[in-house]
Amino acid sequence: MTYPVTLVESLALIAQRQPQDQVAGEVTGPDMMFGRDGTLDTPINQAFVVVHLGVAGGTITVKLEQATTDGFSDTKIITGSDGVDKSIELDGANEQAIINLKAEELDSANGFKYWRFRVASTGTNSTYGVLVFGGDSRYGPTSDYDLSTLTVLK
């Protein structure tokens, strides 16, 4: 059998932050890993983070971070294969951003294998949500690793 059969099967919703009002401060996503030894126990090799900003009470900065442990005591920003940091700013209402990440962009040579998103808000009453999708599964449809809260109509 050849996978994916449909676009929905080629992706998995692996993490999310419900859209909600946020005062100035930071929010981090769950600690994640690529590959079979990850917290998701998935053979997923790529991910992308979608941030959707509704009300802009200030600037929203989204970063992808990596660490050697799931406690993130040695956090550093992920730098892409193009040498650019995985970070973006949104400052207008109804803006969206996507940040792509490949497993090989983690600093695995120095033991960095955990990753997560961090969203920092400089203003009050910004409303935003975050969705993290995984893809490039080695075995079967990636959608097998969707969050249990997701309902899919094929």
Side-chain angles (χ1 to χ4, degrees):
M1 185 177 292
T2 302
Y3 292 101
V5 176
T6 66
L7 181 59
V8 171
E9 290 176 324
S10 69
L11 298 171
L13 179 61
I14 58 176
Q16 60 90 28
R17 179 195 184 271
Q18 295 285 357
Q20 57 189 286
D21 286 340
Q22 179 69 41
V23 297
E26 295 186 335
V27 173
T28 57
D31 304 348
M32 295 179 274
M33 292 172 62
F34 288 114
R36 273 265 168 226
D37 60 344
T39 54
L40 299 171
D41 192 32
T42 66
I44 293 172
N45 294 308
Q46 292 190 59
F48 62 92
V49 177
V50 179
V51 179
H52 46 105
L53 177 61
V55 176
T59 300
I60 302 292
T61 303
V62 184
K63 300 177 184 179
L64 298 188
E65 301 177 325
Q66 60 185 330
T68 59
T69 65
D70 60 0
F72 274 76
S73 58
D74 57 349
T75 302
K76 70 177 185 177
I77 192 164
I78 298 171
T79 302
S81 54
D82 57 1
V84 176
D85 286 349
K86 299 286 185 172
S87 176
I88 193 163
E89 285 189 0
L90 301 174
D91 60 5
N94 300 314
E95 287 187 347
Q96 304 83 33
I98 296 176
I99 304 174
N100 192 57
L101 178 63
K102 296 178 182 177
E104 63 264 19
E105 292 176 313
L106 296 180
D107 185 6
S108 59
N110 289 311
F112 286 82
K113 60 183 180 178
Y114 294 91
W115 67 277
R116 69 181 180 191
F117 65 83
R118 176 181 295 274
V119 182
S121 173
T122 61
T124 59
N125 298 330
S126 291
T127 304
Y128 63 89
V130 181
L131 299 172
V132 182
F133 291 92
D136 193 14
S137 176
R138 289 189 201 131
Y139 314 105
T142 304
S143 59
D144 288 352
Y145 308 102
D146 278 323
L147 292 176
S148 62
T149 56
L150 181 66
T151 301
V152 178
L153 179 62
K154 294 182 184 180

